[in-house]
Amino acid sequence: MAPMIGRREFLAAAGAVAAAPLLPRLSFAEAPSGTRLHGLSAFGDLKYKPDFKHFDYVNPDAPKGGLFNFAPPNWVFNQSTLTFNTLNSFVAKGDAPPRMEMCFDSLMASALDEPDALYGLLAESVSISDDRNVFEFILRPEARFHDGTPLTAHDVAFSFDLYKKDGHPSLLLPLTQMTEAAAVDDHTLRLTFTGKQSARTILNVAGFPIISKAYFTENPFDGASMKAPLGSGPYKVGRVAAGQTIEYDRVEDYWARDLPVNRGLYNFDRIRIEFYRDRQAAFEAFKKGDILYRQEFTSRIWATGYDFPALKQGKVVRREFPSEKRPSMQATALNQRRERFHDPRVRKAIGMCFDFEWARRNLFYGSYERSQSCFERSDYRAEGLPSPEELALLEPLRGKIPDEAFGEAVIQPVSDGSGRDRKLLGAATRLFAEAGWQRSKSLLANAKGEKLTVEILVEDSIWEQIHGSWIGNMRAIGIDASIRVVDSAQFAARQNDFDFDLITMALSFTATPTRDEIEGLFHSRSATLPGSRNLCGTADSAVDSLVDAVGAAQDRQSLTIAMRALDRVLRARQDWIPNWYSANHRAAFWDMFGFKEPKPDFGFPVEALWWFDKEKAAAIGKG
């Protein structure tokens, strides 16, 4: 399953900063009140000085032109790679096409070679009050929407107010503690918070896409419109065939095109995304050259499918790129809004029916490793026994969290790889019995006579093969287990409304996670918010306190401690069943592009970083 990306990741290459040699090089945590900053960093200094010319990971002389037709490997907000029925990406309802965010600018934008740094885009500087609750942004007077009208502080204030009221949960939740978004004048915006927000909340909020007040005063802000909203970014919506194709056209007179961090970015004249409901059909389109770049998420195809003529002729490149240095999560949520999943023994027993070792050998061609953590591939993954610093956070919660959180970090059981490990299934049966589920005829039932049913909701038929053994094991011990395949629209609607038993989600966090990111998945506040990523319905005051500890961290060491403590508790609670992960991006592309190596450590937006190479394209007949 391809991952969604974190809230700040869509800013991967969407920002720019002008030279401002009088502005100091400080992290916002250390900056004196009133100091005008050209960038923000959670911990420590910014890498780039105010007068830098371009980011180190780009080619500032990259040529412009060409078409990039690709299969997006990740997405944000309400977006889908299978279909789309709205062009508003910033609400919970509807399915929007990926990369709509490239049509919009933000106050600040991320650098991909720093774990948590933002630099000014719409805002040329920001200053912070002594109590760190008021942020004043000075906007660039040259900022414009695509229709030539000025983008002002009034548009920014309107955007934040609208997101707080009606935005997608990824936009709404970080604004919970915002008390005011005020346009002091056309070029000065003031954001005020209660003091209860995380110190790093601003790193999320400053990256939100800014929309037009005039446009959304005249048009509804909902998920029903196929009219492209007025934007200001490096691309605008071009040709659209609803549910099938969308093209983004590069804006020739983009107002920020000459800013230093834009040099070397947004090089393709057109970016096209075509939508396929079937993975095999998408792969066949790639083989023919209708799609020019894809990341491969199907192990069978990666192992056996790349033997077609264009690859043998050297027209297609197949290679791996290292994954980002960011925590990732792919896991199956057990929906605790269903009473039968309240007991952690039930959740653990269901997880024991999943035979990863069998799937790795028979389905994944040995290409994946078993996930154990919600923060896999990072220092935030808990290992072994808790450290004294972790215990300092966990001990006050003793009696409120599972005892397992105080021992060795919980890991998933290893099967014998047979696909039907009798020892594990026997242990699962005993757990069900302890939780009050006994065999009644051929099925497990509770004291009320209710059968134990488990339905896994999926939107792609490939999951029927992947989960087939899991379903078989559950049925073998008396669970009425099934898989339901639905179309993308129904899948999104049921996920938003939490209308499922089990559902799988993949995502990656930012390298320096904020409380807002973590809150959206694990905090009580998000458990009842439609469209949130708290798919399990986790609503536990003890977990909330650990989420708050993540938000309160003042340095990277304390953040790591808090994240590890949270990881221990989440794993002990058995809320999620960890799936698997890969250490690399498995990519294939027609050999007609240029790119700079090595790739940046904290993002891989190929559509923004790469460029069309005329000579390479001509050599393979694609010129």
Side-chain angles (χ1 to χ4, degrees):
M1 180 176 181
M4 293 178 291
I5 55 182
R7 289 191 290 275
R8 297 206 310 275
E9 172 62 10
F10 74 83
L11 299 171
V17 57
L22 298 180
L23 301 183
R25 184 170 175 261
L26 295 170
S27 72
F28 75 85
E30 300 169 334
S33 175
T35 301
R36 293 180 61 190
L37 305 170
H38 76 291
L40 301 175
S41 176
F43 311 124
D45 287 343
L46 299 167
K47 173 181 177 179
Y48 293 97
K49 296 179 180 180
D51 59 350
F52 77 101
K53 303 302 181 184
H54 58 81
F55 287 131
D56 291 344
Y57 50 82
V58 305
N59 172 10
D61 301 316
K64 306 295 184 184
L67 165 71
F68 189 67
N69 187 351
F70 80 124
N74 43 32
W75 55 95
V76 292
F77 306 133
N78 66 347
Q79 297 172 0
S80 170
T81 57
L82 298 180
T83 188
F84 65 99
N85 50 38
T86 179
L87 294 182
N88 185 349
S89 190
F90 310 131
V91 293
K93 297 297 183 182
D95 296 302
R99 303 306 182 263
M100 277 299 299
E101 64 278 2
M102 295 183 74
C103 300
F104 300 86
D105 288 316
S106 52
L107 288 171
M108 309 187 82
S110 300
L112 296 185
D113 53 354
E114 298 179 83
D116 52 41
L118 297 179
Y119 294 90
L121 173 50
L122 288 169
E124 64 182 17
S125 68
V126 57
S127 57
I128 310 170
S129 64
D130 283 331
D131 61 8
R132 292 337 194 216
N133 293 331
V134 180
F135 299 82
E136 189 168 277
F137 295 87
I138 305 300
L139 273 59
R140 302 182 193 277
E142 65 268 31
R144 292 287 186 275
F145 287 105
H146 292 152
D147 64 356
T149 57
L151 191 161
T152 72
H154 302 282
D155 295 293
V156 184
F158 173 83
S159 299
F160 289 139
D161 285 339
L162 190 58
Y163 291 153
K164 182 174 180 178
K165 180 176 179 287
D166 296 321
H168 187 278
S170 296
L171 298 165
L172 185 155
L173 284 171
L175 296 172
T176 301
Q177 300 301 328
M178 185 190 77
T179 59
E180 185 181 36
V184 178
D185 55 43
D186 283 352
H187 304 301
T188 307
L189 173 83
R190 183 177 298 138
L191 296 180
T192 304
F193 293 83
T194 64
K196 296 180 181 179
Q197 78 285 356
S198 166
R200 299 186 305 283
T201 290
I202 194 63
L203 296 179
N204 280 333
V205 172
F208 285 177
I210 302 305
I211 57 180
S212 165
K213 179 179 180 180
Y215 179 88
F216 279 111
T217 298
E218 295 180 358
N219 296 276
F221 184 71
D222 59 30
S225 177
M226 285 297 295
K227 180 180 178 181
L230 179 62
S232 63
Y235 287 90
K236 61 182 178 182
V237 174
R239 186 173 71 89
V240 174
Q244 300 177 25
T245 305
I246 186 167
E247 291 184 354
Y248 299 103
D249 297 333
R250 187 167 60 85
V251 179
E252 286 284 350
D253 60 349
Y254 175 40
W255 72 271
R257 63 182 179 180
D258 295 323
L259 294 179
V261 296
N262 266 355
R263 291 174 186 156
L265 297 174
Y266 312 121
N267 302 309
F268 296 107
D269 281 346
R270 277 185 300 148
I271 295 174
R272 180 189 297 161
I273 300 172
E274 297 178 1
F275 294 76
Y276 296 88
R277 296 178 185 271
D278 180 78
R279 293 192 183 201
Q280 187 61 40
F283 182 53
E284 294 300 324
F286 173 74
K287 289 162 63 175
K288 292 188 298 182
D290 294 337
I291 293 175
L292 303 173
Y293 174 93
R294 65 183 266 120
Q295 288 187 35
E296 187 58 69
F297 296 100
T298 303
S299 299
R300 175 184 56 80
I301 293 178
W302 186 251
T304 66
Y306 284 83
D307 59 353
F308 51 92
L311 188 137
K312 293 178 179 179
Q313 295 164 8
K315 295 180 179 181
V316 170
V317 177
R318 175 180 177 268
R319 63 170 289 184
E320 296 188 4
F321 295 90
S323 292
E324 287 67 68
K325 297 178 179 178
R326 298 165 46 189
S328 66
M329 171 182 175
Q330 178 165 314
T332 300
L334 299 102
N335 188 0
Q336 293 170 48
R337 300 170 188 86
R338 307 276 206 257
E339 184 178 355
R340 59 189 178 277
F341 303 127
H342 284 183
D343 195 312
R345 292 170 295 189
V346 169
R347 303 195 293 270
K348 181 178 181 179
I350 291 173
M352 293 173 74
C353 294
F354 174 57
D355 192 331
F356 170 77
E357 285 68 33
W358 180 89
R360 185 177 190 271
R361 185 180 71 250
N362 292 278
L363 301 177
F364 301 153
Y365 293 81
S367 62
Y368 288 117
E369 301 298 329
R370 182 69 192 265
S371 292
Q372 301 292 346
S373 168
C374 292
F375 313 117
E376 199 59 67
R377 300 186 315 187
S378 76
D379 290 340
Y380 307 129
R381 168 177 158 160
E383 301 280 359
L385 292 169
S387 67
E389 293 80 8
E390 292 171 59
L391 286 173
L393 294 174
L394 296 173
E395 283 294 351
L397 304 175
R398 192 178 284 276
K400 300 179 181 178
I401 59 177
D403 291 340
E404 290 85 348
F406 295 94
E408 295 275 345
V410 171
I411 61 172
Q412 298 301 306
V414 178
S415 77
D416 61 11
S418 66
R420 191 64 62 89
D421 188 320
R422 294 181 179 275
K423 182 178 179 181
L424 282 180
L425 295 181
T429 299
R430 289 190 291 274
L431 283 173
F432 281 126
E434 292 173 12
W437 295 91
Q438 301 286 346
R439 281 271 190 172
S440 176
K441 298 182 180 179
S442 62
L443 295 175
L444 291 173
N446 61 15
K448 300 177 184 178
E450 298 167 335
K451 303 296 187 290
L452 180 57
T453 60
V454 172
E455 179 184 90
I456 305 177
L457 184 69
V458 301
E459 62 177 335
D460 191 319
S461 59
I462 194 172
W463 290 102
E464 292 182 291
Q465 180 184 18
I466 293 173
H467 289 331
S469 173
W470 190 8
I471 293 293
N473 281 338
M474 285 193 279
R475 288 174 175 170
I477 61 173
I479 301 173
D480 183 9
S482 61
I483 299 176
R484 182 176 295 273
V485 183
V486 298
D487 62 35
S488 180
Q490 187 177 354
F491 183 87
R494 290 186 60 174
Q495 177 176 290
N496 287 341
D497 294 337
F498 309 122
D499 182 17
F500 55 83
D501 291 345
L502 272 65
I503 195 170
T504 297
M505 179 176 68
L507 57 81
S508 55
F509 299 89
T510 56
T512 307
T514 66
R515 184 178 70 185
D516 309 303
E517 289 180 83
I518 305 303
E519 179 181 299
L521 280 96
F522 310 121
H523 196 283
S524 301
R525 192 176 293 118
S526 61
T528 58
L529 181 63
S532 83
R533 305 301 182 198
N534 190 344
L535 302 181
C536 295
T538 303
D540 185 289
S541 60
V543 174
D544 293 349
S545 70
L546 293 173
V547 173
D548 292 341
V550 169
Q554 297 298 310
D555 53 54
R556 195 166 296 280
Q557 181 180 7
S558 56
L559 173 65
T560 301
I561 292 166
M563 289 285 287
R564 288 176 179 172
L566 175 62
D567 187 38
R568 289 183 185 280
V569 173
L570 293 173
R571 289 158 67 175
R573 283 176 52 88
Q574 306 285 342
D575 287 350
W576 297 81
I577 300 170
N579 295 167
W580 50 83
Y581 71 92
S582 173
N584 298 304
H585 295 291
R586 300 181 300 199
F589 51 92
W590 285 74
D591 193 13
M592 52 192 292
F593 306 113
F595 50 90
K596 186 173 181 178
E597 298 197 76
K599 64 173 284 294
D601 285 338
F602 300 104
F604 194 36
V606 172
E607 65 277 15
L609 291 170
W610 289 17
W611 61 89
F612 178 73
D613 188 312
K614 290 183 179 179
E615 293 184 1
K616 285 185 175 182
I620 65 170
K622 287 281 189 177

